Amino acid sequence: MNKAFQRSDRVAEQIRRDLAVLVQTEVKDPRVGMISLTSVELTPDYAHAKVYFTTMDVEHLKDIQTGLKRASGFLRRELGRRIKIHTLPELHFIYDASLERGASLTDLIN
């Protein structure tokens, strides 16, 4: 019997919520700017986390990704202070283009 929400789903959602707060309040890198974290995928051993984000500032996407990569160590350390799990995942930030694809499909339909 498959449970509706497994522990990894709950941990991933908690990581997303805490990272969203940390990015908005603690990251001082001006390259990061305004981003929204859409989802987090954890590996089964919790060693790695793919953190999907979106932004309206697509022209500076490379700068945003560079800023997030540089801040990943700080974010991981602060996340460790908030979440008590055995293995704290390494953070990998990936741009989520689903909003752009959805908007372009809506334009095509209209």
Side-chain angles (χ1 to χ4, degrees), residues 68-106:
L68 287 171
K69 186 173 183 176
R70 295 231 3 174
S72 66
F74 166 76
L75 291 170
R76 185 177 183 198
R77 183 180 72 236
E78 291 299 315
L79 195 61
R81 293 179 179 167
R82 295 173 181 229
I83 298 176
K84 302 298 182 204
I85 56 176
H86 181 65
T87 303
L88 198 62
E90 184 178 334
L91 304 174
H92 305 281
F93 291 94
I94 301 169
Y95 178 66
D96 183 7
S98 62
L99 292 178
E100 288 179 7
R101 286 194 305 268
S104 66
L105 286 175
T106 302

Side-chain angles (χ1 to χ4, degrees), residues 8 10 21 36 39 43 49 54 62 68 72 84 87 101 108:
S8 62
R10 293 190 307 268
V21 170
S36 295
S39 66
T43 56
T54 187
K62 287 289 186 192
L68 287 171
S72 66
K84 302 298 182 204
T87 303
R101 286 194 305 268
L108 287 174

Side-chain angles (χ1 to χ4, degrees), residues 37-51:
L37 301 182
T38 56
S39 66
V40 173
E41 289 181 4
L42 287 171
T43 56
D45 61 353
Y46 296 165
H48 299 277
K50 292 181 183 177
V51 181

Side-chain angles (χ1 to χ4, degrees), residues 1-89:
M1 182 172 172
N2 192 6
K3 296 180 182 178
F5 291 102
Q6 296 179 347
R7 181 176 188 268
S8 62
D9 295 335
R10 293 190 307 268
V11 171
E13 181 59 24
Q14 185 64 43
I15 289 172
R16 188 197 63 78
R17 277 188 260 138
D18 287 346
L19 279 178
V21 170
L22 286 170
V23 167
Q24 295 298 321
T25 60
E26 300 294 327
V27 174
K28 305 294 187 221
D29 194 335
R31 294 176 290 191
V32 174
M34 292 296 295
I35 66 167
S36 295
L37 301 182
T38 56
S39 66
V40 173
E41 289 181 4
L42 287 171
T43 56
D45 61 353
Y46 296 165
H48 299 277
K50 292 181 183 177
V51 181
Y52 293 94
F53 72 94
T54 187
T55 182
M56 298 303 273
D57 191 14
V58 181
E59 301 87 43
H60 299 101
L61 184 59
K62 287 289 186 192
D63 292 335
I64 293 169
Q65 287 178 321
T66 302
L68 287 171
K69 186 173 183 176
R70 295 231 3 174
S72 66
F74 166 76
L75 291 170
R76 185 177 183 198
R77 183 180 72 236
E78 291 299 315
L79 195 61
R81 293 179 179 167
R82 295 173 181 229
I83 298 176
K84 302 298 182 204
I85 56 176
H86 181 65
T87 303
L88 198 62

